[in-house]
Structures are given as C-alpha cells and as structure tokens.
C-alpha cells in the first residue's frame, strides 16, 4: 500500500451468525445486546423473529419498528444477526449530489487498494431522497425469512431528510456469510424513524470510511442453527437485501 492510499485500521468486524442462517429462518436465538456491545459501537442487525431493523450509532442501538417508530433497544434484547465494529474512520470526505450507484463508485474510487477488504461506512448529512424498508417480523418462528421479507416489509420514502447512514461493504465472495456489497441502515437525525436502505440520493454531507482486514464470526449455539439449510441462495439475498 503506497503512502497516498488510506491505511487500513486495526479495527475488526464482529459478526453474530451468518446471513444465510438468518434468511433460512434462524431468528429465535441471538446474542444479547449487552454482549454485542462489547464488540462494537457501530453497526447493524436484526431482532428476534426479524421484527424491525437495528442500527448501532455511537454506542446506542435503536430498534426501528414496522409501524415506523423507534425505541432504544433494551440491553437484554436478542439479535439473531448483527455486524458491528469499533468505528475508527481513516478516510473522511465531503460528498454532494450523488445517487446510490455514484456514492458507491466514489467509495471504491477513494479506497482503490481495498476492494478485497471490508469497509465500514458512515454518512452524516442530507438526503434528497431516501427509500428504506422495515421488516415486519415473522408470524411463524423458523419460517424462511428470505421468502417473506420482501412481501411483508414496509417501504418508506422520504425527501429532503437529514440523518445518518451506517453499514458495511463486503467483498463478493462473502455472499451468504454476510451480505456481499453494500449493506446500509438509515436513521433520521431526530431519531424518529429509519430502516434498511434500499435506495437514496445524497444532497450533501460527510462520509467516513474504515478499511478492515479482520472479521470474527460467532456461530449460534442452538439446535436450530445446527439444522438450518445453509445452501447459498444468491438471488434470494440480492432480492431481500
Ligand atoms: Zn439490513
């Protein structure tokens, strides 16, 4: 890595479970939030029965619920899937007037040596448009999340909204373990709503990036996990995420 390139940090990603298990319906058991917090102050995840979306911002985990409301998650809350890190950006840039694909291309352009590493990404600023979804939660524990999430999710569109977007970019070969490519969650600045980003247009703001070379994955200690069908469904993950 040359001197002109942003250096990777000593941070590591901690991930609980894998997205293939979550999508197969392994949503009943999880890591308590108080334990997850030992591994990071920044990240995203889901709740028991895939009920809502989780965003971890500056050490506070929020549950963004299907009805559009937000609560600070209780320390005892279980998360069946989560990806967190202690966020230490090595690159911070101002960005303006970018559609989602342009934003992603811009991130690739300013981290040219990092395409095979993980990136933790944070954006704070104003979105001209933000489309996000909130998972409804399962009626039947253990049912396949992949098959139901896009049918039951609530999609919310906002315009001229200020907030924070947090997430990760994972190399393509990690599909099924995590979500390959970009996985980003959004929370409104006043903390009144948010969810899993589907599409957006940035008006202006600041982006921070941390290049990460270390990932620690903890697999659930449950009978359900042992019986999960972990066959990779690339098409399903792309559709659901
Ligand atoms: Zn998500």
């Amino acid at each position: 890595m040359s001197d002109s390139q942003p250096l990777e940090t000593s941070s590591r990603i901690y991930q609980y479970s894998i997205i293939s298990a979550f999508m197969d319906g392994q949503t009943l058991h999880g890591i308590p939030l108080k334990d997850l917090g030992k591994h990071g102050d920044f990240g995203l995840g889901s709740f028991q029965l895939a009920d809502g979306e989780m965003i971890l911002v500056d050490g506070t985990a929020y549950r963004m619920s299907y009805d559009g409301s937000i609560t600070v998650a209780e320390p005892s809350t279980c998360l069946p899937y989560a990806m967190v890190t202690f966020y230490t950006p090595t690159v911070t840039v101002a960005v303006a007037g970018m559609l989602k694909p342009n934003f992603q291309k811009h991130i690739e352009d300013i981290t040219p040596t990092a395409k095979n590493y993980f990136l933790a990404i944070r954006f704070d600023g104003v979105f001209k448009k933000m489309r996000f979804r909130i998972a409804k939660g399962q009626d039947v524990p253990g049912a396949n999340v992949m098959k139901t999430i896009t049918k039951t999710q609530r999609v919310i569109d906002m315009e001229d909204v200020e907030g924070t977007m947090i997430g990760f970019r994972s190399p393509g070969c990690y599909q099924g373990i995590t979500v390959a490519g970009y996985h980003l969650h959004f929370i409104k600045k006043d903390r009144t709503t948010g969810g899993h980003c589907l599409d957006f247009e940035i008006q202006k703001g600041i982006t921070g990036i941390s290049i990460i070379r270390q990932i620690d994955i903890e697999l659930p200690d449950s009978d359900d996990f042992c019986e999960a069908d972990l066959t990779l469904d690339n098409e399903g993950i792309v559709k659901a995420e």
Side-chain angles (χ1 to χ4, degrees):
M1 215 173 254
S2 73
D3 292 345
S4 62
Q5 304 297 340
L7 295 171
E8 70 265 26
T9 66
S10 58
S11 297
R12 75 184 174 110
I13 289 168
Y14 170 87
Q15 185 179 305
Y16 184 83
S17 193
I18 57 176
I19 197 74
S20 293
F22 177 75
M23 287 296 175
D24 187 56
Q26 306 314 308
T27 64
L28 212 46
H29 306 283
I31 182 168
L33 180 59
K34 60 180 183 300
D35 294 337
L36 185 70
K38 293 172 190 162
H39 301 284
D41 58 7
F42 167 109
L44 49 75
S46 185
F47 294 99
Q48 219 165 18
L49 300 176
D51 182 8
E53 310 282 345
M54 190 277 273
I55 187 168
L56 178 59
V57 192
D58 300 324
T60 301
Y62 297 89
R63 179 196 285 264
M64 305 185 282
S65 300
Y66 180 74
D67 65 4
S69 68
I70 285 194
T71 48
V72 173
E74 295 290 329
S76 60
T77 306
C78 267
L79 298 110
Y81 178 80
M83 196 171 183
V84 302
T85 189
F86 287 105
Y87 179 63
T88 47
T90 49
V91 190
T92 306
V93 289
V95 291
M98 284 184 190
L99 294 166
K100 181 181 164 188
N102 306 114
F103 176 68
Q104 294 178 352
K105 166 115 184 13
H106 187 61
I107 287 175
E108 313 289 328
D109 287 346
I110 57 179
T111 58
T113 59
K115 75 182 175 75
N116 295 329
Y117 296 138
F118 290 85
L119 301 179
I121 299 155
R122 175 172 179 154
F123 171 83
D124 293 279
V126 181
F127 295 88
K128 198 164 164 38
K129 288 179 182 163
M130 169 55 76
R131 170 174 288 184
F132 57 91
R133 75 105 190 277
I134 307 164
K136 183 168 188 284
Q138 298 174 291
D139 295 328
V140 183
N144 189 300
V145 173
M146 192 109 73
K147 290 192 177 119
T148 56
I149 199 164
T150 52
K151 293 192 187 103
T152 59
Q153 69 189 4
R154 179 174 181 189
V155 176
I156 297 177
D157 282 297
M158 302 191 94
E159 289 188 10
D160 303 318
V161 60
E162 193 169 0
T164 297
M165 191 165 62
I166 271 178
F168 298 91
R169 195 243 21 220
S170 306
C173 62
Y174 293 89
Q175 184 74 305
I177 296 168
T178 178
V179 178
Y182 289 80
H183 185 188
L184 300 162
H185 284 189
F186 164 75
I187 187 166
K188 201 165 166 250
K189 193 181 180 188
D190 63 7
R191 306 293 191 247
T192 54
T193 192
H196 168 107
C197 298
L198 296 175
D199 201 9
F200 55 82
E201 182 178 348
I202 284 172
Q203 191 173 322
K204 64 170 182 177
I206 303 289
T207 297
I209 303 167
S210 171
I211 301 169
I212 302 177
R213 291 192 301 118
Q214 211 179 333
I215 179 162
D216 181 359
I217 299 170
E218 181 171 347
L219 300 176
D221 177 18
S222 69
D223 292 342
D224 290 354
F225 182 80
C226 297
E227 288 157 17
D229 176 10
L230 300 183
T231 313
L232 176 62
D233 180 354
N234 181 57
E235 202 182 320
I237 294 174
V238 170
K239 203 172 149 203
E241 293 297 331

